Amino acid sequence: MTDKRILIIYTGGTIGMTRTPDGYAPEKGYLKSELDMISDMHDSGMPAWDLLEFEELLDSSNITYREWNQIARAIDDNYDDYDGFVVLHGTDTMAYTASALSFMLENLSKPVILTGSQIPLCELRSDGKDNIITSIIIAAEGVVNEVCLFFGTKLLRGNRSTKNSADGLIAFASPNYPPLAEAGIDIDYHKSIIRPKPEGVFNVCYIDESSIGVIKLFPGIHFKLFEPIVTEKLQGLVLETFGTGNIPNYDAELPGLIAKAIDNGTMVVVCTQCAHGTVQLGAYETSSALARTGALSGYNMTTEATIAKLHYLFSKKCSADKMRKMMNRSLCGEVDPE
Ligand code: ASP
């Protein structure tokens, strides 16, 4: 492992933040000074690593598809020179970035591990040190060749992950897919559920701007309020529905709006508000009308992965037909259709 080289890409996030009068914020150069003080980072058993710090460090609330492209570009430019990549990122939107990169990095055959921390390195009890060291080791071991998120003790498939705690040190879960590895005394990989090495050539699909909306349903929701959003400009719309894909059917408002949106060329995908389980359009009367509009099932895909997948497919400039087919298939382990 000591002959391996890992590139750490630092985008911002709590791990390298310092205190400011307005609360924690990232500061240029600070992470490097913290890493230099961690003796384990320079232990003879550690793989060699380099740090690439972004020009502008961000709280991950400010991450957009542009930063997804910037991270992908950094991996693309350095792909042949490193055995693996660790992306340091804020936790708030880490699951979105992990999902997006999983689609963008086509035929990836090296580990890309996203991590960060809930407590900055500058504070007592920071979880940053363990998260970064274990992520580097996982990146160097090279057992996984997909985009993953490591946090606390678990290595999760990136496009299955979701942030499920604002303050816990186990901040992420992957409710519909088991962890790819667990870090105890040893790092135990669950090899049978790790994606096989791809055969094709590594390629990056960069993301273009696209207009995607998400509507989370709640009891008594007035759909009319959403009419302009739904019927005019959106390329993609994710509906976070109840249970297995259910919507209120006390009037025909929502199915009517959705049908109009689909006529206008909007790709509508139905997800569930439940962390566990899958959408089954037509299982109840309250989802049959939605199925008839031509809305697509997101099955057990997270909202994060659904948004990322829509971005990716729009950027690939797929025809509507092809998009529908791709939405119904797993492209990189993000969903179990049916
Ligand atoms: N607001 C921070 C961020 O996402 C939270 C964190 O990193 O834990 O950048």
Side-chain angles (χ1 to χ4, degrees):
M1 202 172 57
T2 48
D3 57 342
K4 297 288 177 72
R5 292 187 70 200
I6 304 303
L7 182 63
I8 304 172
I9 300 168
Y10 176 43
T11 68
T14 294
I15 193 161
M17 288 190 183
T18 56
R19 289 187 212 172
T20 77
D22 292 326
Y24 289 119
E27 184 186 316
K28 277 202 71 74
Y30 184 73
L31 181 94
K32 173 80 173 65
S33 65
E34 282 288 338
L35 295 185
D36 283 344
M37 286 190 301
I38 300 175
S39 57
D40 287 355
M41 289 293 289
H42 308 280
D43 188 276
S44 59
M46 276 292 272
W49 55 270
D50 293 311
L51 177 67
L52 177 70
E53 180 171 290
F54 276 7
E55 201 48 48
E56 199 189 348
L57 297 172
L58 295 175
D59 184 295
S60 75
S61 315
N62 290 319
I63 296 266
T64 67
Y65 73 94
R66 290 187 199 89
E67 287 74 32
W68 297 346
N69 286 339
Q70 212 184 331
I71 300 167
R73 167 81 59 204
I75 294 171
D76 200 3
D77 288 348
N78 292 285
Y79 195 72
D80 294 331
D81 297 331
Y82 290 90
D83 298 289
F85 300 86
V86 171
V87 180
L88 299 181
H89 193 288
T91 59
D92 289 344
T93 65
M94 195 187 290
Y96 290 88
T97 300
S99 298
L101 290 174
S102 74
F103 297 109
M104 295 165 71
L105 305 177
E106 296 171 340
N107 295 318
L108 178 69
S109 60
K110 297 187 177 186
V112 172
I113 315 295
L114 280 86
T115 195
S117 71
Q118 291 278 59
I119 306 174
L121 281 170
C122 66
E123 300 288 4
L124 283 174
R125 294 187 56 245
S126 173
D127 48 335
K129 177 183 152 193
D130 283 352
N131 283 346
I132 188 170
I133 289 176
T134 308
S135 297
I136 291 173
I137 291 170
I138 292 170
E141 285 181 336
V143 179
V144 288
N145 41 71
E146 50 182 297
V147 178
C148 301
L149 188 156
F150 179 78
F151 216 87
T153 56
K154 290 190 177 22
L155 182 71
L156 307 176
R157 174 165 295 159
N159 56 33
R160 295 287 190 145
S161 65
T162 187
K163 183 171 179 182
N164 73 344
S165 174
D167 52 12
L169 298 187
I170 309 283
F172 290 87
S174 147
N176 286 318
Y177 203 75
L180 303 184
E182 274 157 280
I185 289 179
D186 296 313
I187 299 171
D188 277 333
Y189 293 93
H190 305 306
K191 291 197 175 142
S192 62
I193 57 163
I194 291 173
R195 285 175 65 72
K197 256 199 201 303
E199 275 162 21
V201 177
F202 175 67
N203 177 59
V204 176
C205 167
Y206 291 96
I207 299 295
D208 300 327
E209 183 161 23
S210 49
S211 53
I212 294 170
V214 179
I215 297 179
K216 179 169 185 161
L217 275 77
F218 56 89
I221 184 171
H222 281 301
F223 299 114
K224 273 276 178 251
L225 296 177
F226 297 102
E227 179 148 11
I229 314 176
V230 173
T231 57
E232 279 166 29
K233 296 217 163 58
L234 288 183
Q235 287 171 272
L237 174 66
V238 181
L239 287 179
E240 273 199 10
T241 59
F242 307 127
T244 52
N246 303 312
I247 56 163
N249 68 345
Y250 38 69
D251 58 31
E253 253 181 45
L254 182 61
L257 281 181
I258 297 301
K260 258 204 237 174
I262 292 172
D263 270 1
N264 286 347
T266 303
M267 196 61 59
V268 179
V269 188
V270 182
C271 288
T272 170
Q273 294 176 12
C274 302
H276 290 267
T278 190
V279 166
Q280 296 173 52
L281 292 181
Y284 288 87
E285 201 188 1
T286 43
S287 67
S288 286
L290 204 44
R292 283 194 294 273
T293 62
L296 297 170
S297 175
Y299 303 102
N300 61 359
M301 213 165 19
T302 60
T303 299
E304 292 90 327
T306 309
I307 292 170
K309 189 167 179 177
L310 284 170
H311 267 293
Y312 169 73
L313 294 176
F314 289 132
S315 305
K316 297 275 296 172
K317 313 257 180 304
C318 297
S319 66
D321 257 8
K322 174 120 196 251
M323 252 190 105
R324 297 176 76 82
K325 279 194 197 112
M326 306 276 258
M327 285 309 294
N328 273 313
R329 265 188 21 210
S330 166
L331 303 183
C332 45
E334 75 280 7
V335 67
D336 303 294
E338 303 303 341

